[in-house]
Amino acid sequence: IQHTSNVIEFPERAVKLVRANREQLVLLSRYSDHIAEFRLAKESAHFWTEMPPIEQADWVNDLLGRIETNNDSNVSVCILDTGINNGHALLAPVLDNADCQTAESDWKTHDHNGHGTRMAGISAYGELETHLDSSGTINLMHRLESVKILPPPSVKILPPPPNTDLPKLWGAITSQAISLAEVQAPDKKRIICMAVASSDSRDRGRPSSWSATIDNLTSGVNGDTQKLMIISAGNSNKSDRFVSANYPASLMTDSIHDPAQSWNAVTIGAFTTLQTITDPALVGCNPLAPHNGLSPFTTTSLVWEDKNWPIKPEIVMEGGNLADNSINALDCENLSMLTTNFEPHLGNFRHFNMTSLATAQASWFAAQIQVEYPEFWPETIRALMIHSARWTEELISQFSIDINKKSDVKKLLRICGYGVPSLARALHSASNSLTLIVEEKIQPFIKEGSAYKTKDMHFYELPWPKKVLQSLPPEVDVEMRVTLSYFIEPGPCELGGKDKYRYASHMLRFELNSPGETEDELIQRINIDARDDANTHPG
């Protein structure tokens, strides 16, 4: 039986890819006590990208015959990138010409680079390979929008600042792009997707003019609507990630790129599940990152020194893997995902990886929640994404994390945020879970003379299933997860701690009553803490 050399190891299982017919599988299960189950292997991006264009077109036509779209959908993913080729057969059903715009008219709206069209394929379909490999109906319940914010190579916008290829007023261009989309369709429930970042990581959590603009735009502080924005953490240093010995140590010192330090945006890092290498040119190579481990393309916030800066990334999504030949790490289509190509006459499909892939997936993920719950606030969509996330066992063991140690947990948060989100958990409570969602407005402080005083707080009595809890055996643990999601109103200064002006404004928090503590005792304790804590006044 033909088989690959690499194996995925689990505590009680080992997963191996084989090529076998029905008779061989019957004999294998009959004569071996070690076989637990057979599953159909998923096709990799390489399966489709190596096809000639005419065969790719057949797959596209088959998928088009199974697509159902909602042209009146009020939910969209707005991609700020290099433009999108909506002439691609798979994108035309979800992206109208009127929704393709550009920050500067002389740039045109077409995709001059291909990156925007690759983002669009994932943002529209999620896992395109799964849809191509199936035979059922595919419901596309959200739309796409495109605003071109990166100029063609021949166009120079502004003199680039040192150590970066991006213009000085990048925040202004981002603001202009979002305004274009909002003017075109003001009533859309819009998820803004941006996988464009500075080429350096020098800010290390400090607000920049770009990240502060994003915080300002999303907060609605100027009377605008609040916005959900999803941005990439930025890719790791290329020279480091292509030396296999540097993984994963180099990721610990490669800081998240501007503007991913934005407090209000959801910053997306990358992990990977991709392990199978079938490319003959890479015989003898193994996947660099383990199954469910940190992707070699991602960045982290572990080197941020100020504990007051936000946890970044918040979540990780599939970002692809590299092939390791024990010396170098090589790019591999098998270890990437499939998406749409901006030049369909040369081929409809293209492989895609890095934190751009992860960001596009997160945007698709957010759109599914917004479609299911059209009235939810942007902060609530963000909360459900993060609330549904869990750390994989591999992420915990890969960095020798003891989850019972607070210092280790803080380290893990700076590496991969709250983990890998689950759409099933985000959309519906699991069979053994109850999710309480509360959307409220609050004025936490009031100014009296030159001083600020606390004003409002919200109290909730949780609907505990008391009889069920009391009936559980003593050895059964019950876990409660609380996610507090709100948008800061950015202040004029980046300083934190006890300084008079603070970037993150009011710094909300939550507190639970202790066992036996009454509501009056809890209120008294909170008020004492608030008076003693110099960090509670607004910036």
Side-chain angles (χ1 to χ4, degrees):
I1 295 176
Q2 291 180 299
H3 60 92
T4 57
S5 59
N6 53 312
V7 178
I8 305 174
E9 299 283 355
F10 294 98
E12 298 181 358
R13 292 285 187 270
V15 180
K16 191 173 185 65
L17 187 67
V18 303
R19 185 190 299 275
N21 58 33
R22 184 178 185 277
E23 182 181 356
Q24 289 173 316
L25 295 180
V26 169
L27 290 173
L28 190 61
S29 59
R30 181 181 299 169
Y31 293 114
S32 173
D33 293 331
H34 300 294
I35 304 300
E37 59 180 316
F38 296 118
R39 293 189 188 181
L40 184 65
K42 292 184 179 180
E43 295 292 355
S44 70
H46 186 65
F47 175 81
W48 284 279
T49 56
E50 68 178 354
M51 289 179 182
I54 191 169
E55 289 187 29
Q56 291 184 12
D58 290 338
W59 285 89
V60 168
N61 291 331
D62 175 76
L63 182 56
L64 287 173
R66 296 183 283 114
I67 288 175
E68 290 188 3
T69 61
N70 179 7
N71 294 332
D72 298 322
S73 175
N74 197 38
V75 178
S76 72
V77 174
C78 180
I79 300 173
L80 311 184
D81 212 282
T82 61
I84 296 174
N85 180 6
N86 69 323
H88 194 293
L90 293 178
L91 299 180
V94 292
L95 178 57
D96 297 329
N97 285 331
D99 292 325
C100 294
Q101 302 188 76
T102 176
E104 296 289 343
S105 59
D106 59 344
W107 297 355
K108 310 298 184 184
T109 62
H110 70 287
D111 186 354
H112 64 269
N113 171 275
H115 190 267
T117 303
R118 294 197 292 273
M119 293 288 295
I122 300 296
S123 297
Y125 289 87
E127 293 186 6
L128 187 56
E129 302 98 314
T130 302
H131 299 318
L132 290 169
D133 217 14
S134 70
S135 58
T137 300
I138 310 301
N139 295 307
L140 304 181
M141 302 307 293
H142 67 280
R143 309 286 298 173
L144 295 183
E145 297 173 302
S146 169
V147 184
K148 187 172 183 173
I149 63 170
L150 285 168
S154 60
V155 176
K156 302 296 182 184
I157 321 172
L158 292 170
N163 304 318
T164 178
D165 53 3
L166 296 174
K168 293 177 182 177
L169 298 180
W170 204 245
I173 293 175
T174 304
S175 176
Q176 178 188 355
I178 295 172
S179 295
L180 287 169
E182 291 181 330
V183 169
Q184 169 68 19
D187 297 326
K188 287 278 190 184
K189 297 283 188 176
R190 182 173 288 108
I191 293 104
I192 302 164
C193 170
M194 188 175 75
V196 178
S198 168
S199 58
D200 69 65
S201 53
R202 60 189 175 187
D203 296 289
R204 300 203 172 194
R206 297 188 305 273
S208 68
S209 63
W210 192 3
S211 71
T213 299
I214 290 173
D215 285 335
N216 203 49
L217 290 169
T218 52
S219 69
V221 66
N222 296 322
D224 299 330
T225 57
Q226 293 182 314
K227 303 168 182 61
L228 178 61
M229 192 159 183
I230 296 176
I231 59 181
S232 66
N235 296 321
S236 59
N237 182 282
K238 186 173 183 180
S239 61
D240 281 344
R241 71 170 179 258
F242 283 96
V243 179
S244 58
N246 292 344
Y247 174 86
S250 64
L251 304 182
M252 303 303 97
T253 56
D254 202 344
S255 176
I256 280 174
H257 298 184
D258 186 27
Q261 70 270 36
S262 162
W263 288 66
N264 292 341
V266 185
T267 299
I268 311 300
F271 86 121
T272 187
T273 62
L274 300 175
Q275 297 288 300
T276 303
I277 302 174
T278 60
D279 187 345
L282 297 174
V283 171
C285 290
N286 293 307
L288 178 62
H291 182 266
N292 277 332
L294 201 64
S295 168
F297 296 107
T298 198
T299 52
T300 69
S301 65
L302 200 60
V303 293
W304 292 2
E305 296 176 354
D306 195 324
K307 64 180 179 62
N308 292 317
W309 300 141
I311 290 169
K312 295 289 176 175
E314 281 94 347
I315 56 174
V316 289
M317 304 287 282
E318 179 64 66
N321 206 342
L322 289 168
D324 178 21
N325 66 4
S326 300
I327 301 173
N328 296 318
L330 309 173
D331 201 4
C332 176
E333 289 190 15
N334 293 148
L335 303 178
S336 304
M337 285 183 66
L338 190 73
T339 189
T340 45
N341 185 30
F342 81 120
E343 295 177 317
H345 61 286
L346 299 178
N348 282 282
F349 303 121
R350 182 75 182 268
H351 75 285
F352 200 26
N353 54 19
M354 305 191 194
T355 55
S356 293
L357 166 63
T359 304
Q361 287 181 93
S363 300
W364 174 87
F365 189 107
Q368 308 314 300
I369 304 175
Q370 188 72 81
V371 166
E372 184 77 11
Y373 303 105
E375 301 305 318
F376 275 3
W377 296 355
E379 304 101 306
T380 310
I381 303 296
R382 180 179 71 165
L384 284 170
M385 294 176 72
I386 298 169
H387 191 81
S388 73
R390 302 291 188 272
W391 296 312
T392 66
E393 290 297 325
E394 185 60 46
L395 286 171
I396 294 171
S397 63
Q398 189 176 14
F399 301 99
S400 303
I401 299 297
D402 182 350
I403 59 173
N404 295 312
K405 291 183 178 179
K406 185 178 291 187
S407 59
D408 276 18
V409 170
K410 288 180 178 179
K411 176 183 177 182
L412 190 60
L413 285 167
R414 291 291 179 187
I415 294 171
C416 60
Y418 295 89
V420 182
S422 162
L423 186 60
R425 277 195 295 263
L427 290 176
H428 312 289
S429 294
S431 59
N432 62 341
S433 300
L434 169 69
T435 304
L436 173 67
I437 299 172
V438 180
E439 295 178 323
E440 290 282 2
K441 296 182 179 180
I442 189 172
Q443 183 180 349
F445 299 98
I446 189 172
K447 189 174 184 179
E448 293 184 359
S450 60
Y452 287 97
K453 294 186 176 181
T454 53
K455 184 178 186 294
D456 295 333
M457 63 178 91
H458 291 310
F459 280 88
Y460 303 100
E461 184 174 346
L462 299 181
W464 295 107
K466 296 179 180 178
K467 292 184 179 179
V468 174
L469 292 173
Q470 290 170 349
S471 66
L472 292 174
E475 66 273 11
V476 174
D477 291 329
V478 178
E479 181 182 75
M480 181 175 69
R481 299 172 66 91
V482 180
T483 299
L484 175 63
S485 175
Y486 67 95
F487 287 160
I488 67 152
E489 297 176 1
C493 181
E494 67 184 37
L495 299 177
K498 298 181 179 180
D499 296 279
K500 182 177 181 181
Y501 299 104
R502 185 174 51 214
Y503 179 82
S505 124
H506 35 65
M507 298 290 285
L508 297 180
R509 67 198 70 185
F510 66 86
E511 184 61 80
L512 300 173
N513 63 303
S514 304
E517 186 177 38
T518 66
E519 181 177 324
D520 289 340
E521 290 170 340
L522 173 63
I523 293 173
Q524 184 178 8
R525 175 164 62 85
I526 290 174
N527 283 331
I528 292 173
D529 291 343
R531 286 194 297 271
D532 292 343
D533 189 349
N535 281 335
T536 56
H537 62 72

